[in-house]
Amino acid sequence: METDEVLALNVVFDLGGVVLSWDPVKVAAQVCEDPGEKEKLYTVFLSHPDWLELDRGVLNRDAAITRGADRMGISRKKISDFLGRVPSSLVSIEDTIELVRQVKKAGHKLFILSNMHTASIDYLEKRYSFFDLFDGQVISCRIQMVKPEAEIYQYLLEEHNLEAENTVFIDDTVINLQAASKFGMKTILFESPSQCEEELRRIGVL
């Protein structure tokens, strides 16, 4: 009797905004009362290239604080407080963790591809056990590469011996998905755990 075999795929999850909640507006409100300062923290500071260089692991915290204070006219203390609160503000989304478990149970390999500061990933690995569900991970600050640069996707595929056409990448940012699709990976724009589950079922992962 013939049976349908489900092809084992590589399913790659982003962390912030997918596996972990990320609300910079809330974090900024914990640091600043002034509306203008709050807006500068979650717009100007986060959109500046320095933020990406923190993710890349090539800009140290003190330099980022000093440069941000000079650039925005916000005290070093407030920027330091903001950065200090970021790691603990990244809280696991339990419905996504359950989805990760479903994908693993279905026989697929699981990977992480994330832009993340050193302080955040070090904190998260100590706090959460869900990292054990994954077969491998690529964290930007540890390899000095960041999404959406092509090099980090190439690194993911080569380091873990993945075939792009058998790989699904889930991220909450369109530009990151567009970069992955250029390598031939299937992509899912994450909006919610339930929507992501529907997309995974649609393409035959679940």
Side-chain angles (χ1 to χ4, degrees):
M1 179 178 179
E2 294 184 359
T3 58
D4 292 331
E5 291 186 4
V6 176
L7 176 65
L9 298 173
N10 311 301
V11 183
V12 184
F13 285 82
D14 176 35
L15 287 178
V18 177
V19 176
L20 302 159
S21 61
W22 167 229
D23 187 352
V25 177
K26 181 179 179 179
V27 179
Q30 294 170 344
V31 174
C32 298
E33 293 183 1
D34 178 80
E37 289 188 340
K38 281 190 289 189
E39 185 174 359
K40 283 182 179 179
L41 274 178
Y42 63 76
T43 55
V44 177
F45 190 59
L46 296 186
S47 64
H48 192 273
D50 279 1
W51 185 260
L52 207 59
E53 295 308 283
L54 282 167
D55 276 343
R56 196 189 301 275
V58 297
L59 179 65
N60 68 52
R61 188 176 185 274
D62 286 345
I65 291 169
T66 298
R67 286 155 59 154
D70 292 344
R71 188 169 59 247
M72 299 184 297
I74 298 176
S75 72
R76 291 184 83 262
K77 183 180 182 303
K78 287 180 180 178
I79 298 174
S80 177
D81 192 10
F82 177 80
L83 284 175
R85 291 172 183 266
V86 168
S88 61
S89 75
L90 296 164
V91 179
S92 65
I93 302 171
E94 290 308 309
D95 285 347
T96 303
I97 302 301
E98 179 55 35
L99 180 58
V100 170
R101 292 193 181 98
Q102 288 184 47
V103 173
K104 188 175 186 71
K105 187 176 180 180
H108 306 294
K109 288 190 173 182
L110 294 167
F111 299 89
I112 292 169
L113 176 61
S114 180
N115 285 357
M116 187 74 65
H117 297 182
T118 300
S120 292
I121 190 62
D122 288 350
Y123 170 86
L124 292 166
E125 286 179 335
K126 292 175 183 176
R127 180 176 180 181
Y128 291 113
S129 61
F130 67 72
F131 288 95
D132 293 339
L133 296 169
F134 292 88
D135 297 281
Q137 60 185 42
V138 174
I139 306 297
S140 62
C141 66
R142 292 177 174 166
I143 59 168
Q144 286 75 60
M145 302 175 191
V146 293
K147 297 178 295 183
E149 295 170 356
E151 291 80 5
I152 197 168
Y153 302 95
Q154 189 69 46
Y155 181 92
L156 168 74
L157 297 172
E158 292 180 356
E159 178 69 12
H160 297 289
N161 195 28
L162 310 182
E163 294 181 355
E165 59 271 25
N166 293 329
T167 300
V168 181
F169 178 46
I170 302 165
D171 198 292
D172 63 326
T173 304
V174 171
I175 192 171
N176 293 341
L177 297 172
Q178 290 173 336
S181 67
K182 291 179 181 178
F183 284 87
M185 288 184 252
K186 302 177 181 67
T187 62
I188 294 175
L189 178 63
F190 184 93
E191 298 172 358
S192 70
S194 59
Q195 166 267 338
C196 186
E197 180 179 354
E198 289 179 9
E199 289 295 314
L200 287 169
R201 292 190 184 281
R202 183 182 63 81
I203 63 177
V205 174
L206 295 173

